[in-house]
C-alpha cells in the first residue's frame, strides 16, 4: 500500500486511542515501520530517536532477536494455553514465580491480564470481593490522586484523575474520589516535609469525610506519569503507605510506568522500601513486544479470599490471562533487564540523563525539570516568575510535537505544556546527548513562531 492509501484507510477506519478523532482525521496518521535500539524508522525512511519508548513501554529498545526467538519458539510449541479449568503453561508459571520472588513485601500472588487498565480493573474488582467476603461490605469508596492515571477501563477511568477520561463518560462513579497530587513545582509548601504532610492530611481528611469504615483503598503511582511526570518528594510514597495502614485502608501502587527499571530499581517501591497490598504492572513487563499486564496481591489478602471461597469460582478471568507467548516474552525481557545489563544501564545513564536535562533550565520556555531514573518531565511556561502555563490557543504542544518530529526526536507533548521523556533503558550517554540536543533545538524553533515568542515574558 502507498503511504497515501494507508493514511486514507486509517482515516476511514481506525479509531485511535486517546485522541481527538476529528483532529486526527485532519492530521492523518504517521506510519512507523521498523525499530532498532532507541531508533524508529517511519514509512518514509526518517530515522527518529524515540525518547518515549513507544508509550513508555519499550524499555529494552527495539529489535531484540532473543525476544523474537522466545516468542516464535513458544508459538511453535504451544501458541495458547488457558489458565481456566486449572490448566497452565510453563512460561506463565515460571513468570509468576520470578515476579513473586522479586516483588516488594508479601506480594506473592500474580494475576495476569493484557495491559495496565485491566490490571487496575482486576485490583478494583478483587478489593471489592475481599471486603465483601471478609464481612466488611461497606468498604467500597476508593481514593486516588488528581492527575493520576489508572487506565481507561469503565471503572479505572474514574480513578484516573484527568478530565478527558471523565468528560461525557459518566465518570468518576460516586464511590471514586480524588485528592491533590504532591506537585512540588506548583505547590507553595515551604519544604518537602510540608508537602508530604499536606498529602497525608488530605488523605486523612477525605477518609474522615467518607468514614474509614466505608473506604476500601487508596491508589497511587510512585511518579505521576500521564498527568505530567510529577515526581513526589522522597518519603511521600512511604508516608502514604503508613497513613493507609493506620486508617485501615488498602494501599495500591500502580507501577505500570515505573515498573521494570524505568526509575532505576526493578520497581519504584524499592526506593523507599514500600510494600503495598496490591501492585499493578504492564508496559515494561513485556517491553511492548506482546500485550501483558499483571496485578500482584499480598499473601494476606490472597489467603483471606482463598480460605473463604472454597468450592466457589471467583468470577474474574480473561481468555488471555497468562498467555504463554506473552509470558515467554516477559521471561526473556526480564533476563535482559537483569543479565543483559539493562537495569544497570538505566541506573547509570538515568543519573546522567537527569543532569543533562537540568541544563535546559536556562531556556526561556523551561519552568521546571524533574526526573527519576529514565523518567522525566519538562514543564514549559510562558512566564518563569509567574509559572504561567502556555495558553491553549497557542497550541504549543501540537507545534512542539511536529517540530520535534522534524528534528527527528520523539517525546510526549502533553496538552498543558508538560513534556514527558521515557527513553528505552538501553540508551547510551551519546544518545542522551543527542536527545537533549534535538529537544533544545526544537524548543528554540518553537520561539520562531511569532505568537509563542510574543507570549513569552
Ligand atoms: C500508571 C498507569 N496505569 C495504568 C495504565 C493503563 O495501561 P494500559 O494502557 O496498558 O491499559 C497506564 C497507561 O499508561 C499507566 O500509565
Amino acid at each position: 500500500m502507498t503511504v497515501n492509501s494507508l493514511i486514507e484507510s486509517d482515516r476511514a477506519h481506525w479509531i485511535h486511542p486517546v485522541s481527538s478523532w476529528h483532529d486526527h482525521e485532519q492530521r492523518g496518521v504517521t506510519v512507523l515501520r521498523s525499530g532498532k535500539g532507541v531508533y524508529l524508522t517511519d514509512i518514509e525512511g526518517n530515522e527518529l530517536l524515540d525518547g518515549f519508548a513507544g508509550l513508555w513501554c519499550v524499555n529494552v529498545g527495539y529489535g531484540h532477536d532473543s525476544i523474537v526467538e522466545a516468542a516464535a519458539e513458544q508459538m511453535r510449541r504451544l501458541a495458547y494455553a488457558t489458565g481456566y479449568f486449572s490448566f497452565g503453561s510453563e512460561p506463565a508459571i515460571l513468570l509468576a514465580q520470578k515476579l513473586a520472588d522479586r516483588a516488594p513485601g508479601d506480594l506473592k500472588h500474580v494475576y495476569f491480564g493484557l495491559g495496565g487498565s485491566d490490571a487496575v480493573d482486576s485490583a478494583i474488582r478483587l478489593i471489592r470481593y475481599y471486603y465483601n467476603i471478609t464481612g466488611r461490605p461497606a468498604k467500597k469508596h476508593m481514593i486516588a490522586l488528581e492527575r493520576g492515571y489508572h487506565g481507561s477501563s469503565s471503572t479505572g477511568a474514574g480513578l484516573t484523575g484527568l478530565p478527558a477520561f471523565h468528560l461525557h463518560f459518566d465518570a468518576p462513579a460516586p464511590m471514586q474520589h480524588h485528592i491533590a497530587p504532591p506537585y512540588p513545582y506548583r505547590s507553595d509548601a515551604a519544604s518537602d516535609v510540608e508537602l508530604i504532610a499536606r498529602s497525608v492530611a488530605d488523605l486523612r481528611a477525605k477518609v474522615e469525610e467518607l468514614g474509614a469504615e466505608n473506604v476500601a483503598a487508596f491508589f497511587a503511582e510512585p511518579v505521576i506519569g500521564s498527568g505530567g511526570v510529577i515526581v513526589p518528594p522522597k518519603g511521600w510514597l512511604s508516608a502514604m503507605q503508613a497513613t493507609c495502614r493506620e486508617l485501615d485502608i488498602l494501599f495500591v501502587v500502580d507501577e505500570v510506568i515505573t515498573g521494570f527499571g524505568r526509575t532505576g530499581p526493578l520497581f519504584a517501591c524499592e526506593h523507599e522500601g514500600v510494600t503495598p497490598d496490591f501492585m499493578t504492572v504492564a508496559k515494561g513487563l513485556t517491553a511492548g513486544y506482546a500485550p501483558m499486564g499483571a496485578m500482584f496481591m499480598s499473601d494476606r489478602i490472597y489467603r483471606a479470599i482463598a480460605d473463604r471461597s472454597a468450592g466457589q469460582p471467583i468470577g474474574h478471568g480473561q481468555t488471555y490471562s497468562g498467555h504463554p507467548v506473552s509470558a515467554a516474552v516477559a521471561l526473556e525481557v526480564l533476563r535482559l533487564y537483569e543479565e543483559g545489563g539493562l537495569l544497570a544501564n538505566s541506573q547509570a545513564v538515568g543519573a546522567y540523563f537527569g543532569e543533562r536535562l537540568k541544563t535546559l533550565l536556562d531556556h526561556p520556555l523551561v519552568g521546571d525539570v524533574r526526573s527519576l531514573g529514565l523518567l522525566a518531565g519538562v514543564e514549559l511556561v510562558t512566564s518563569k516568575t509567574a509559572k504561567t502555563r502556555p495558553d491553549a490557543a497557542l497550541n504549543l504542544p501540537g507545534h512542539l510535537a511536529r517540530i520535534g518530529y522534524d528534528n527527528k526526536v520523539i517525546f510526549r507533548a502533553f496538552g498543558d505544556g508538560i513534556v514527558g521523556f521515557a527513553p528505552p533503558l538501553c540508551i547510551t550517554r551519546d544518545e542522551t546527548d543527542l536527545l537533549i540536543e534535538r529537544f533544545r533545538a526544537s524548543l528554540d524553533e518553537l520561539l520562531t513562531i511569532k505568537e509563542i515568542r510574543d507570549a513569552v515574558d
Side-chain angles (χ1 to χ4, degrees):
M1 254 178 148
T2 65
V3 180
N4 282 344
S5 57
L6 280 170
I7 292 172
E8 274 323 306
S9 295
D10 172 85
R11 189 172 273 139
H13 303 296
W14 185 0
I15 300 175
H16 284 253
V18 191
S19 59
S20 156
W21 299 356
H22 173 273
D23 294 0
H24 175 77
E25 276 181 20
Q26 308 263 302
R27 181 195 182 279
V29 68
T30 302
V31 185
L32 301 171
R33 194 175 47 193
S34 61
K36 189 76 197 160
V38 297
Y39 291 97
L40 280 168
T41 303
D42 71 15
I43 199 159
E44 282 167 336
N46 296 305
E47 195 184 61
L48 302 120
L49 206 172
D50 184 2
F52 204 63
L55 196 65
W56 14 44
C57 57
V58 189
N59 288 7
V60 297
Y62 299 93
H64 272 284
D65 284 336
S66 66
I67 304 176
V68 177
E69 285 312 316
E73 209 313 271
Q74 183 58 44
M75 275 192 189
R76 264 185 229 109
R77 190 150 33 92
L78 180 64
Y80 175 78
T82 183
Y84 282 58
F85 331 128
S86 293
F87 284 120
S89 68
E90 196 177 335
I93 295 167
L94 251 175
L95 181 62
Q97 167 77 67
K98 283 183 187 267
L99 290 175
D101 286 349
R102 288 157 177 76
D106 73 337
L107 294 173
K108 294 293 171 214
H109 306 272
V110 186
Y111 177 82
F112 291 116
L114 307 182
S117 295
D118 66 72
V120 170
D121 211 54
S122 294
I124 294 172
R125 290 200 81 213
L126 290 161
I127 287 170
R128 281 192 197 135
Y129 194 99
Y130 165 72
Y131 279 122
N132 286 334
I133 205 166
T134 55
R136 285 178 292 172
K139 275 175 106 55
K140 287 286 178 336
H141 289 267
M142 296 189 183
I143 304 168
L145 295 176
E146 289 158 15
R147 287 186 167 265
Y149 186 62
H150 300 292
S152 66
S153 74
S154 54
T155 47
L159 285 179
T160 287
L162 298 170
F165 291 80
H166 299 165
L167 185 68
H168 307 313
F169 281 113
D170 298 336
M175 303 267 184
Q176 297 178 320
H177 312 270
H178 298 90
I179 59 170
Y183 195 163
Y185 179 58
R186 296 211 171 262
S187 166
D188 59 5
S191 64
D192 287 354
V193 173
E194 189 184 328
L195 189 55
I196 294 171
R198 282 191 194 177
S199 277
V200 167
D202 285 349
L203 181 59
R204 273 186 207 290
K206 182 56 80 181
V207 171
E208 199 170 309
E209 174 196 324
L210 299 165
E213 68 285 7
N214 301 318
V215 180
F218 172 63
F219 285 66
E221 297 159 87
V223 173
I224 290 181
S226 302
V229 195
I230 299 169
V231 184
K234 194 162 169 52
W236 181 85
L237 202 65
S238 50
M240 297 316 269
Q241 166 168 286
T243 311
C244 289
R245 297 266 147 89
E246 190 195 316
L247 298 172
D248 187 27
I249 62 176
L250 297 174
F251 185 43
V252 186
V253 174
D254 188 343
E255 291 238 25
V256 167
I257 289 175
T258 54
F260 300 99
R262 172 57 56 208
T263 72
L266 194 62
F267 300 112
C269 280
E270 291 170 35
H271 287 293
E272 298 179 24
V274 162
T275 56
D277 302 294
F278 284 80
M279 185 172 84
T280 47
V281 299
K283 297 189 188 279
L285 172 60
T286 50
Y289 279 66
M292 186 175 239
M295 180 215 71
F296 292 75
M297 181 188 277
S298 75
D299 190 48
R300 179 177 68 88
I301 292 168
Y302 174 85
R303 282 263 57 92
I305 294 179
D307 293 348
R308 286 171 177 79
S309 57
Q312 165 192 329
I314 295 165
H316 186 70
Q318 293 148 306
T319 302
Y320 298 131
S321 176
H323 195 286
V325 177
S326 298
V329 165
L331 284 171
E332 176 56 16
V333 165
L334 190 58
R335 196 192 66 75
L336 289 170
Y337 289 140
E338 295 180 342
E339 292 164 37
L342 286 172
L343 276 183
N345 192 64
S346 166
Q347 284 154 20
V349 181
Y352 181 68
F353 180 58
E355 281 165 32
R356 298 292 290 123
L357 275 165
K358 285 204 191 99
T359 63
L360 294 167
L361 279 166
D362 66 3
H363 194 278
L365 282 168
V366 175
D368 188 37
V369 165
R370 50 217 184 217
S371 66
L372 191 63
L374 286 170
L375 179 59
V378 174
E379 186 149 348
L380 304 181
V381 290
T382 47
S383 163
K384 291 200 188 205
T385 41
K387 301 185 178 177
T388 314
R389 289 205 163 92
D391 192 324
L394 293 171
N395 186 24
L396 187 143
H399 288 300
L400 183 59
R402 178 186 48 77
I403 293 171
Y405 198 88
D406 291 345
N407 286 328
K408 308 224 175 340
V409 58
I410 296 178
F411 42 75
R412 175 96 172 261
F414 292 105
D416 51 6
I418 298 170
V419 183
F421 291 93
L425 310 188
C426 59
I427 193 168
T428 62
R429 283 167 187 251
D430 286 351
E431 287 161 347
T432 303
D433 289 342
L434 193 59
L435 177 64
I436 303 290
E437 189 185 302
R438 289 182 181 178
F439 180 61
R440 182 184 274 278
S442 305
L443 290 179
D444 289 344
E445 218 172 309
L446 259 188
L447 290 174
T448 64
I449 299 171
K450 185 176 178 325
E451 304 80 69
I452 294 178
R453 193 175 57 248
D454 288 351
V456 176
D457 234 13

